[in-house]
Structures are given as C-alpha cells and as structure tokens.
Amino acid sequence: MTRQFHTSCPLNCWDNCGFVVTVENNEIVKIDGDADHPITKGKICGRGRSLQQKANMERRLKYPLKKINGQFQRISWEQALDEIAAIIQRNVNEYGSLSILNAHDYANNGLLKSIDERFFNFVGGVTELEGSLCWGSGIEAQKKDFGNVKSHSPEDITNSKNIVVWGRNVARTNLHLYQNIKEEQKKGKKLIIIDPMPQSLQKSADLYVAIEPGMDGLLAIAISKEILEQGWENNNFLMEHTKGYLEWIALIEDFSWNSIIEETNVSRETIYELAKIFVNGPTTMFLGLGMQRYKNGGSTIHAINALGAISGNIGVRGGGVNFGNLAVGQSFDINNLVGKHVKKEARYFKRMTWNREVIESNNPKIQTIFINRHNPITQVPDSNLTRKTLQETPHVIVLEQTLTETAELADYVLPVATVFEETDIYYSSMYHGYVNVGPKLIDPPEEVKSDLWVWTELSNRLGFGEAFDYTIEEWINLGLGQLQEKGITFSKLQKEKRMRLPIQDIPWENKKFDTKSGKFEFGTHLVSKGNFTKITDERKFPYHLLSIHPLRSNHSQHFPLLNEDKIPTADIPIYIAEKENIQSGDLIEVGNEKGKIHAQAKIMETEARNWINIDEGHWLKSGGAVNLLTNAEVSDNKMGSTYYDTKIYIKKAEMKK
C-alpha cells in the first residue's frame, strides 16, 4: 500500500523545509517538497532528499553494540541499558554527577531531541557544553548589542531596496533565500555580495567584494567611517535609541584609511560605493556564519551590527542585520521540558575545546562521555586530540544511526531512529518562524529505538521513571507551553501540518531593545583594534584554510552515501595556483604543525588571494578531514570557534599509485 504524508526536514540548516514523503510497505520510497509550505514552497535540496537513502541504507546500526577486547559485539537492549545505568550510578556515587559529560550537538533538530538534557538534570546535573562550533561568536555579539538575536521574516525582503549577502553562500546553504533574492532582482533590487570565496549569486550581483579572510569587521568599520565622514549617519536613531555611540566613533577614528585598505584588500572607491548603498536604503543584510569563525568573530559581528545602526537600517521594514532568530526557539517552554528546575549542579566546557578540557578535568575527572547528535571526530577542532580524549576516557557511550568514526571509538553504541521513525515537531532558529509537524511514518528496522525511548528506559533503571512517564502528545504539549493558549497545540499541528509562531516580522520596530538600557548598545568595550590585523606567517603557513559546508551533506552525516573514501576537492584562487605551480586536477598536500591532508586541486578565477577551501565534513578515512589541522581555540568572546584562523602551507604532492 502506497501513502503520502506531510512531514519535515530535521536537518540543522537555515530552511527547515516541509516534506511530502511517500511510504510503501514500511519503506520510504520518495521525498518531495511540500508545495503548500508558505516559505519552502515545494523546493528542497539534495541533502533533504538523501534522507530517503539514509533511512534505508544497509549500513545502518540495527542492534546495540558493546566493545569487548577491542571488538564490537551485539548485545541485548536489556544488557546495554542495565550496564550503562550501572556506570552512571557508579560515577555519581564515587565521583559525583559532574564526572559525566553530555557531549551533544545539533546535527538534527526536533523539540524532543532535548530530552537528553532532562535525563541528565534528573541525574543531578552533569558537565555540559556551551558555546557553538557553528555560530556562537555572532550569537553572543548580537545578544550584547540588541539584547537578543532576532531576524526579519523572509517575506520582508520585498520591502528592501538593497540586499547585502555577507559571507553567506545562500545557493549552498539557504536555498529559499536564494530563490527570494532572484525574484527581488527581477524587480530591480540591488544585490551586493561580500565574501572571500566566489559563489553563484556573484554572477548576477551589482557589486562583488572579494574581502580578505577575517577582515569583514574591519570593512564594516570602514563603511561606517565613510558614512560618518560624509555626514550620512542616521542621527535621530543614534541619539535617541543607542548607547555608547560616541565611544564607537572614537574607535572608528583610530583606524587609518591606509591600514583599512591594506588589511581588507578593498579600495576606497568600493568602500564609498558601499556606504552610499547602505544609507540609500532600506538595506537588508544577510550574514553568514563563516565570518565569525575567527578569533575576532565577536568583534566582527559587533562592527556589522554597528554599521546597521549608523546607516539607519535597524528596526525598519526592509532592513535588519539578519544572523539568526533565537525568538523562534524562545517561543517554546524548553526549561520546563528539560526539567531545568531539578538540576542540582552544573559545570560547563566549551564546544570548541571540550576535547582538551576533558583531558585536563579534575574535581571531578570526567569518567563517562555520552555523545548524541554529534560526530566530534570529524567536527570538533583538532581531530587527533579528540581521538586521544575518547580513547583515554573510561566510558564512551554513543547514540547513532551508523557507525561513524566517533562511534568506532565508543564502548557502547546504541542504534537510534531517523526522522521518519519517530514523532516530533521541527523548527529552525535561523530563517523562518514556522513549526512543522513530523509524524512517525514507518517502524524503525530490527532493534532500533528512538532517543526518547532510550532516555526513558534509563530513567526507569535509575529511579526517576515518573519524570518520563508521558505520551508523545503530552511531551510535545509540555514543550509548547504557553503556545497552547495561543492556539498552537499538537493536535492542531497534526491537522494543519505547520503553523506560524507568534514572533515579530520586523524586530526592534518600536526601537525598544532587550538590553538593560532598552537601547541598542555599541560593543566598543568588547572590540579590540588588534583583532583586525591579519595573522601572517609567510615563511611557514601563508594561507587561510577555509572549510565551508559541503553541498551534498549536512556536515559529516551524508558522507556514507557519497563514497566517503573519495579524496576531497581544494578550491584554490588562481593567484596561489600560479605561485605554487599547481594546476586543476593536481594532487596537493595541505598542512601545518598539526599534520597534513591531501586533496585534488580546483582552480578558481577570483581576485581573492589568501585562502584555499576544503569542504568540512569529510571523514578521516578520506584523508581530507579538515579538523586534523584546525586549532582547538575559542573566539574573542569565548563562545565561538576559530576554524578559519587555521594557517597552512600547500604544495603539489605525488600522485598515489
């Protein structure tokens, strides 16, 4: 029997697409876009479509595994859960609950995916992760300046006169914004692309600025400086609705035009043109995540936020500094869902450096690591250090769908369900404000269980099973909280397939901000001038290693479907290719003091000169996992990664025989 269902993409990406999924004989046979979804409108990307293959792939984990004498052996769920519960209890009794690390991340969304936090809160509170590998520096900066992180609704782009896409490859990572931009260009809207790397939108852009890596914040300061020198600033907004403006002016004046032009590789004429575009708005900015993956990541976003204020594009229709939209997730009662009130203690490691912090931990020493929605071997900076950390920790327990290179290092691996094998609701705090229902469509294979089932069974063994004694509908309504009073209930979501959350279309339109002062607060005291000087080591490591999101995989998740042993491609500007005598198709070696990887060269026609790109997500076995080279460090505001500060050499390598 063949049936079609409305459901949702679970992947942690901008768009959170609506799906129509065809099921036949308990198997997913087709995934299409939901044409009735008001934002995604029937268009989905290859990553979403490949979830069909992921659900059906032969190499899926189907039974609990335990490592015995260095080899995995199949065990029963009863044995696995009994032994894991005993490990937890022993850790708590002998070392305290902080000896357990819950190392989850956000590879897949879903309201009920946060139930792991509830479990560990009822354990007593464990060591947790804070910050973000992805967008942490920018989130922290916007919280400081605005008091929260909010973006304009996707529909508001129709009110913009100018569209600035800054460090965001929307064709690769934000398909529906890409389509919206193309539609607005047909209406005569001006498009500006600022990015070290070329991208498909560049071909139709009115202006493309090939900025030097890591100098985005300095360019924002330069545009603001030009606006101020020309007397084009929005004085009414600045005087009435901001705090720290005069201090920010003093910071700007401390930068000379010569140093700005040298460091950014952007001409004064281009800066002048950009300044005119920003003040002749409304001008909307769509910021990417890569520009804040440097040591100066927080300073960069502070500078761009300030540009939005100085140019008069905050709180106006068609404007905005659009980075993320935490207001979406804040609509839910997450604290109640995860039982935050029962937590007795907590300790926090950084997502960017937890591998090192585990090794260095004391009082108590980490004894057990739980890993779910996370493949740290390929995703956390310094893969070799992550491997060492997992190997030296007494107990590592991984919840997974396939045997990743992280799972291979575990003591226990528990097979968990895919999106189509459990019921949940899905949303994204990145682009739009709709929540999608995701009903269970098929039964999971063999002995695969949902994450929720695993945490419930463990809670029963540890004596707090009543805290997990809810039906699926009760769980979801618990997380919906006060949204139910506004008509958003699980039963209504089931009928309507998706619903719009009660969030603002135009944040800050009333000019009242969520800061203590109630005003936009310039982050002068949080920005260091020294953060806008290029890191150089021309003798050893002259180039930045960029590592953007892969086109066909959500981080490392889909590489088992893409022939993960295939050597990666290195995108190389023609300037570097000529300097290093490299041609397209050559095998190259890329390395630094941490090691080396190999890739196949692809030469790019671009004005940029100081970087190469190898997509992140490649597994170690491909020989091209970029996190073998990246630094396990934190950004200036301690909440983000510094992936793109990785400095490398490249050279032609011998072809493998």
Side-chain angles (χ1 to χ4, degrees):
M1 181 179 179
T2 301
R3 297 183 64 190
Q4 285 191 330
F5 300 89
H6 287 81
T7 184
S8 174
C9 184
L11 298 177
N12 182 22
C13 106
W14 297 96
D15 297 68
N16 185 220
C17 298
F19 282 170
V20 174
V21 175
T22 304
V23 177
E24 185 175 321
N25 299 324
N26 198 49
E27 183 173 320
I28 306 299
V29 296
K30 190 177 182 183
I31 300 175
D32 286 315
D34 178 1
D36 295 327
H37 194 288
I39 301 297
T40 61
K41 299 178 181 178
K43 301 291 185 181
I44 62 174
C45 72
R47 284 167 286 196
R49 291 190 189 279
S50 67
L51 291 170
Q52 174 195 351
Q53 298 169 266
K54 193 173 183 185
N56 299 331
M57 66 181 176
E58 282 298 315
R59 62 188 290 177
R60 273 194 69 180
L61 292 167
K62 298 175 183 176
Y63 316 100
L65 300 175
K66 178 182 179 180
K67 191 170 286 179
I68 301 173
N69 297 324
Q71 299 294 321
F72 280 123
Q73 294 186 19
R74 176 181 173 181
I75 61 173
S76 68
W77 271 109
E78 184 175 11
Q79 179 185 348
L81 294 166
D82 286 348
E83 291 182 4
I84 291 169
I87 289 169
I88 294 171
Q89 193 63 67
R90 188 163 59 250
N91 286 170
V92 172
N93 292 343
E94 296 182 11
Y95 306 100
S97 61
L98 297 184
S99 66
I100 300 168
L101 171 65
N102 181 23
H104 80 203
D105 215 306
Y106 299 96
N108 289 285
N109 290 318
L111 182 68
L112 300 188
K113 290 299 181 185
S114 59
I115 294 298
D116 62 319
E117 297 178 56
R118 183 180 182 90
F119 174 80
F120 289 112
N121 284 339
F122 273 89
V123 167
V126 299
T127 301
E128 304 172 49
L129 301 182
E130 66 175 0
S132 171
L133 296 172
C134 187
W135 65 353
S137 297
I139 292 295
E140 183 69 10
Q142 291 215 320
K143 283 181 178 179
K144 295 290 187 184
D145 295 347
F146 296 96
N148 203 347
V149 183
K150 301 179 181 180
S151 288
H152 291 229
S153 67
E155 299 91 335
D156 183 56
I157 196 172
T158 61
N159 296 313
S160 303
K161 182 176 181 180
N162 308 304
I163 302 166
V164 178
V165 178
W166 201 327
R168 185 155 155 185
N169 190 335
V170 294
R172 182 176 282 219
T173 63
N174 198 176
L175 173 62
H176 301 92
L177 175 57
Y178 175 83
Q179 293 174 318
N180 285 347
I181 289 172
K182 298 301 289 184
E183 287 300 314
E184 294 306 307
Q185 283 186 284
K186 293 176 184 177
K187 302 174 187 176
K189 305 291 179 69
K190 185 171 287 189
L191 174 64
I192 298 89
I193 305 291
I194 304 173
D195 202 314
M197 289 189 63
Q199 52 173 279
S200 58
L201 267 181
Q202 169 193 334
K203 298 174 184 176
S204 63
D206 296 275
L207 178 63
Y208 167 59
V209 182
I211 188 159
E212 283 289 298
M215 293 297 108
D216 302 88
L218 183 56
L219 178 59
I221 286 172
I223 300 168
S224 295
K225 185 179 178 74
E226 187 69 65
I227 291 171
L228 291 168
E229 290 188 4
Q230 298 297 334
W232 295 338
E233 67 272 22
N234 187 308
N235 274 310
N236 180 61
F237 177 78
L238 294 169
M239 293 297 105
E240 297 294 327
H241 304 294
T242 73
K243 179 182 177 182
Y245 172 49
L246 297 180
E247 291 84 352
W248 189 260
I249 290 178
L251 174 72
I252 289 176
E253 289 176 347
D254 202 27
F255 288 88
S256 72
W257 281 114
N258 286 340
S259 65
I260 287 171
I261 293 166
E262 180 181 351
E263 298 286 359
T264 62
N265 196 32
V266 179
S267 71
R268 180 72 186 273
E269 291 75 19
T270 298
I271 293 168
Y272 178 82
E273 185 175 356
L274 287 167
K276 284 200 300 182
I277 289 167
F278 271 93
V279 298
N280 187 24
T283 298
T284 185
M285 285 185 271
F286 293 99
L287 308 187
L289 307 183
M291 71 173 75
Q292 45 88 69
R293 291 180 183 149
Y294 298 87
K295 184 69 175 178
N296 66 10
S299 298
T300 291
I301 303 302
H302 283 302
I304 295 174
N305 295 340
L307 171 58
I310 290 169
S311 61
N313 286 298
I314 291 175
V316 299
R317 294 181 179 275
V321 185
N322 301 292
F323 184 74
N325 200 353
L326 297 189
V328 175
Q330 290 163 355
S331 302
F332 300 91
D333 192 352
I334 301 297
N335 286 342
N336 195 24
L337 181 67
V338 305
K340 188 175 180 180
H341 61 285
V342 305
K343 183 191 299 185
K344 295 177 181 177
E345 56 183 343
R347 176 172 62 173
Y348 296 94
F349 292 167
K350 300 296 184 185
R351 275 195 167 82
M352 303 72 71
T353 57
W354 69 258
N355 45 15
R356 182 173 70 237
E357 292 179 86
V358 167
I359 291 175
E360 297 173 352
S361 64
N362 281 300
N363 301 318
K365 181 78 173 174
I366 294 294
Q367 301 295 319
T368 299
I369 301 175
F370 280 82
I371 300 174
N372 70 95
R373 290 185 288 161
H374 196 12
N375 185 11
I377 283 290
T378 66
Q379 300 306 129
V380 172
D382 197 341
S383 297
N384 286 326
L385 182 59
T386 304
R387 179 186 293 277
K388 173 181 168 66
T389 300
L390 298 181
Q391 290 173 332
E392 293 184 359
T393 300
H395 302 289
V396 176
I397 296 137
V398 174
L399 283 67
E400 254 300 353
Q401 296 168 352
T402 187
L403 200 62
T404 65
E405 291 171 311
T406 297
E408 288 175 351
L409 297 174
D411 299 288
Y412 294 86
V413 184
L414 307 181
V416 291
T418 70
V419 57
F420 307 120
E421 298 159 359
E422 58 187 350
T423 296
D424 209 336
I425 60 174
Y426 299 90
Y427 58 92
S428 172
S429 292
M430 300 169 78
Y431 184 49
H432 66 78
Y434 282 83
V435 56
N436 300 333
V437 71
K440 180 179 178 180
L441 305 183
I442 59 174
D443 293 322
E446 305 293 341
E447 296 183 17
V448 173
K449 303 293 184 182
S450 70
D451 301 55
L452 177 58
W453 183 90
V454 173
W455 302 121
T456 300
E457 288 297 313
L458 285 172
S459 72
N460 289 332
R461 286 164 170 78
L462 290 167
F464 49 85
E466 70 282 353
F468 285 74
D469 189 17
Y470 295 92
T471 66
I472 290 294
E473 182 169 4
E474 289 171 337
W475 276 121
I476 290 176
N477 282 333
L478 185 66
L480 288 172
Q482 293 184 353
L483 287 171
Q484 296 173 88
E485 299 173 8
K486 299 177 181 179
I488 301 177
T489 64
F490 181 53
S491 60
K492 194 167 183 181
L493 272 168
Q494 287 179 301
K495 293 175 184 176
E496 299 195 14
K497 314 308 179 190
R498 91 286 303 169
M499 296 182 73
R500 176 73 154 75
L501 294 167
I503 59 175
Q504 294 173 301
D505 286 320
I506 315 296
W508 325 120
E509 193 170 20
N510 61 3
K511 306 302 185 290
K512 294 181 180 179
F513 298 87
D514 292 343
T515 56
K516 287 183 179 180
S517 67
K519 299 181 176 184
F520 175 89
E521 297 187 1
F522 286 90
T524 314
H525 63 291
L526 301 169
V527 175
S528 167
K529 182 182 178 184
N531 277 345
F532 296 115
T533 301
K534 283 182 282 191
I535 301 172
T536 58
D537 187 343
E538 295 298 330
R539 294 169 301 160
K540 283 187 173 182
F541 311 123
Y543 309 121
H544 278 275
L545 174 62
L546 305 185
S547 47
I548 68 173
H549 292 290
L551 179 62
R552 298 180 61 199
S553 178
N554 193 52
H555 304 300
S556 65
Q557 289 185 57
H558 296 86
F559 276 86
L561 310 175
L562 302 175
N563 185 11
E564 74 270 26
D565 295 329
K566 184 179 179 181
I567 190 169
T569 297
D571 301 310
I572 304 175
I574 190 168
Y575 169 83
I576 296 176
E578 292 175 350
K579 183 178 177 182
E580 302 290 347
N581 192 28
I582 292 170
Q583 297 181 347
S584 283
D586 285 348
L587 181 71
I588 64 166
E589 178 181 301
V590 180
N592 57 23
E593 74 282 357
K594 291 184 180 300
K596 61 185 179 182
I597 60 178
H598 290 89
Q600 190 171 44
K602 179 183 177 182
I603 311 306
M604 305 191 79
E605 296 284 346
T606 174
E607 297 175 15
R609 304 188 302 174
N610 195 37
W611 56 266
I612 75 162
N613 171 69
I614 299 175
D615 291 357
E616 56 94 1
H618 283 273
W619 289 27
L620 298 181
K621 63 186 65 177
S622 75
V626 293
N627 282 316
L628 284 167
L629 306 179
T630 52
N631 300 319
E633 302 295 342
V634 296
S635 62
D636 49 2
N637 59 22
K638 313 299 182 188
M639 298 302 285
S641 62
T642 62
Y643 288 123
Y644 292 0
D645 274 331
T646 299
K647 302 292 288 185
I648 54 163
Y649 70 83
I650 67 169
K651 66 179 183 180
K652 192 180 295 187
E654 295 294 327
M655 293 297 292
K656 296 178 180 178
K657 296 182 180 181

